[in-house]
Amino acid sequence: MVRNVLGSILALAGATAAVWSPFRAWYDGRHGSTYRIDDLFSGISATKAQVAGSILLPFAFAALVTLVGLVLRSRILVAVAGLITLGFAILWMVRQGQVTGSLSVDSSGNGLGQGVAMALGGGLALLLAAGLMPGRRAAEPEPRPRSDVPTPDTPYEAPYEPRHALPADEQPPYEPPDGPPRA
């Protein structure tokens, strides 16, 4: 129970960080919401995107997958959401590195910004949440009825009593065998 609650809280925090990250600076003060999704596959350009066509879209999809995973208590869906988030953040870093020649971080605000760190942190938090969550348990099979216990459907049968048995006080005393058993 506690692992499920902690995993859910961590997953929600990771999804929130992933969705919030495009609204922060990603590189040289440029917000992530201005990068087009097409730029991730064709190369980063100076063309600015509308919010609906920006890299916010894969992060919002990852957040949706996270919510579905939490409702279904599916570790796999939460892990997939983490991989989507990390995948798109790393793909952006590769494309940005191809355009600029290298990725850097400066104390003056140039280079990689907080948005990238939030996206990577959100993806890692989602993966950690998937590992922390206990997930769903398999349904236990129904117990099979015991064969030695009568059910209401079986007719009553009296206990077995041998017909030729003598009463206990008339039985002959036990005598040990004369020798070892014969083969």
Side-chain angles (χ1 to χ4, degrees), residues 21-35 39-40 44-46 48 55 89-120:
S21 70
F23 299 104
R24 308 293 294 171
W26 276 52
Y27 198 78
D28 285 339
R30 184 176 174 186
H31 283 215
S33 60
T34 62
Y35 291 101
D39 290 351
L40 297 178
I44 303 291
S45 66
K48 292 191 176 188
I55 61 173
I90 291 171
L91 181 61
W92 176 86
M93 290 174 67
V94 168
R95 293 298 183 183
Q96 185 66 37
Q98 288 174 342
V99 169
T100 60
S102 68
L103 295 176
S104 62
V105 178
D106 289 351
S107 61
S108 62
N110 297 329
L112 293 174
Q114 290 178 344
V116 178
M118 287 178 68
L120 294 174

Side-chain angles (χ1 to χ4, degrees), residues 47-132:
T47 307
K48 292 191 176 188
Q50 299 295 326
V51 174
S54 71
I55 61 173
L56 170 66
L57 196 60
F59 295 131
F61 177 72
L64 180 66
V65 171
T66 301
L67 291 177
V68 171
L70 290 177
V71 168
L72 297 177
R73 292 189 307 165
S74 172
R75 296 171 64 171
I76 293 173
L77 286 177
V78 175
V80 165
L83 291 175
I84 290 170
T85 303
L86 283 174
F88 277 96
I90 291 171
L91 181 61
W92 176 86
M93 290 174 67
V94 168
R95 293 298 183 183
Q96 185 66 37
Q98 288 174 342
V99 169
T100 60
S102 68
L103 295 176
S104 62
V105 178
D106 289 351
S107 61
S108 62
N110 297 329
L112 293 174
Q114 290 178 344
V116 178
M118 287 178 68
L120 294 174
L124 290 175
L126 287 169
L127 289 178
L128 186 62
L132 185 63

